[in-house]
Coordinates of all heavy atoms in Angstrom, one line a residue:
L104 N -17.4 13.1 7.8 CA -18.5 12.2 7.6 C -19.8 12.7 8.0 O -20.9 12.6 7.3 CB -18.3 10.9 8.3 CG -17.3 9.8 7.6 CD1 -17.1 8.6 8.6 CD2 -17.9 9.3 6.3
L105 N -19.8 13.4 9.1 CA -21.1 14.0 9.7 C -21.6 15.1 8.7 O -22.8 15.2 8.4 CB -20.8 14.5 11.1 CG -22.0 15.1 11.8 CD1 -23.1 14.0 12.1 CD2 -21.6 15.7 13.1
I106 N -20.7 15.9 8.3 CA -21.1 17.1 7.4 C -21.4 16.6 6.0 O -22.5 16.9 5.5 CB -20.1 18.2 7.5 CG1 -19.9 18.7 8.9 CG2 -20.4 19.3 6.5 CD1 -18.8 19.7 9.0
F107 N -20.4 16.0 5.4 CA -20.5 15.7 3.9 C -21.2 14.4 3.5 O -21.6 14.3 2.4 CB -19.0 15.8 3.4 CG -18.4 17.0 3.4 CD1 -17.4 17.2 4.4 CD2 -18.8 18.1 2.6 CE1 -16.7 18.4 4.4 CE2 -18.1 19.4 2.9 CZ -17.1 19.6 3.7
A108 N -21.2 13.5 4.4 CA -21.9 12.2 4.1 C -23.2 11.9 4.9 O -23.8 11.0 4.5 CB -20.9 11.0 4.4
E109 N -23.6 12.8 5.8 CA -24.8 12.6 6.6 C -25.7 13.8 6.5 O -26.7 13.8 5.8 CB -24.5 12.2 8.0 CG -23.8 10.9 8.2 CD -24.8 9.7 7.8 OE1 -25.9 9.9 7.9 OE2 -24.2 8.6 7.4
V110 N -25.4 14.9 7.2 CA -26.3 16.0 7.3 C -26.6 16.7 6.0 O -27.7 16.9 5.7 CB -25.6 17.0 8.3 CG1 -26.6 18.3 8.4 CG2 -25.5 16.4 9.7
T111 N -25.5 17.0 5.3 CA -25.7 17.8 3.9 C -26.6 16.9 3.0 O -27.6 17.4 2.5 CB -24.4 18.1 3.3 OG1 -23.7 19.0 4.2 CG2 -24.6 18.8 2.1
P112 N -26.2 15.7 2.7 CA -27.0 15.0 1.6 C -28.4 14.6 2.1 O -29.3 14.6 1.3 CB -26.2 13.7 1.4 CG -25.3 13.5 2.6 CD -25.0 14.9 3.0
K113 N -28.5 14.3 3.4 CA -29.9 14.1 4.0 C -30.8 15.3 3.9 O -32.0 15.1 3.7 CB -29.8 13.5 5.3 CG -29.2 12.0 5.3 CD -29.3 11.4 6.7 CE -28.8 9.9 6.6 NZ -28.9 9.2 7.9
T114 N -30.2 16.4 4.2 CA -31.0 17.7 4.2 C -31.4 17.9 2.8 O -32.6 18.3 2.6 CB -30.2 18.8 4.7 OG1 -29.8 18.6 6.1 CG2 -31.0 20.1 4.7
I115 N -30.6 17.8 1.8 CA -30.9 18.1 0.4 C -32.0 17.1 0.0 O -33.0 17.4 -0.6 CB -29.7 18.0 -0.4 CG1 -28.7 19.1 -0.1 CG2 -30.1 18.0 -2.0 CD1 -27.4 19.0 -0.9
A116 N -31.8 15.8 0.4 CA -32.7 14.7 0.0 C -34.1 15.0 0.6 O -35.1 14.7 -0.1 CB -32.2 13.4 0.4
A117 N -34.2 15.4 1.8 CA -35.4 15.7 2.4 C -36.2 16.8 1.8 O -37.4 16.8 1.7 CB -35.2 16.0 3.9
L118 N -35.5 17.8 1.3 CA -36.1 18.9 0.7 C -36.4 18.7 -0.8 O -37.3 19.2 -1.3 CB -35.2 20.2 0.8 CG -34.9 20.7 2.2 CD1 -33.9 21.8 2.2 CD2 -36.2 21.2 2.9
K119 N -35.6 17.9 -1.4 CA -35.8 17.5 -2.8 C -36.0 16.0 -3.0 O -35.1 15.4 -3.8 CB -34.6 18.0 -3.7 CG -34.4 19.5 -3.6 CD -35.5 20.3 -4.3 CE -35.3 21.8 -4.3 NZ -36.4 22.5 -5.0
S120 N -36.9 15.4 -2.4 CA -37.0 14.0 -2.3 C -37.2 13.3 -3.7 O -36.5 12.3 -4.0 CB -38.1 13.6 -1.4 OG -39.3 14.1 -1.7
E121 N -38.1 13.9 -4.5 CA -38.3 13.3 -5.8 C -37.1 13.4 -6.7 O -36.7 12.5 -7.4 CB -39.5 13.9 -6.5 CG -40.8 13.7 -5.8 CD -42.0 14.4 -6.4 OE1 -41.8 15.0 -7.5 OE2 -43.0 14.5 -5.8
A122 N -36.4 14.6 -6.7 CA -35.3 14.8 -7.5 C -34.1 13.8 -7.2 O -33.3 13.5 -8.1 CB -34.8 16.3 -7.4
V123 N -34.0 13.4 -5.9 CA -32.9 12.5 -5.5 C -33.4 11.0 -5.6 O -32.7 10.1 -6.1 CB -32.5 12.8 -4.1 CG1 -31.5 11.7 -3.6 CG2 -31.9 14.2 -4.0
A124 N -34.7 10.7 -5.2 CA -35.1 9.4 -5.2 C -35.3 8.7 -6.5 O -34.9 7.5 -6.7 CB -36.4 9.3 -4.4
F125 N -35.8 9.4 -7.5 CA -36.1 8.8 -8.7 C -34.9 8.4 -9.5 O -34.8 7.3 -10.0 CB -37.0 9.7 -9.6 CG -38.4 10.0 -9.1 CD1 -39.2 11.1 -9.6 CD2 -38.9 9.2 -8.0 CE1 -40.5 11.2 -9.0 CE2 -40.1 9.4 -7.4 CZ -40.9 10.4 -8.0

Side-chain angles (χ1 to χ4, degrees):
L104 278 175
L105 185 63
I106 296 175
F107 296 107
E109 293 292 334
V110 177
T111 300
K113 287 186 175 182
T114 301
I115 295 173
L118 297 175
K119 300 289 183 180
S120 57
E121 293 177 11
V123 176
F125 294 167

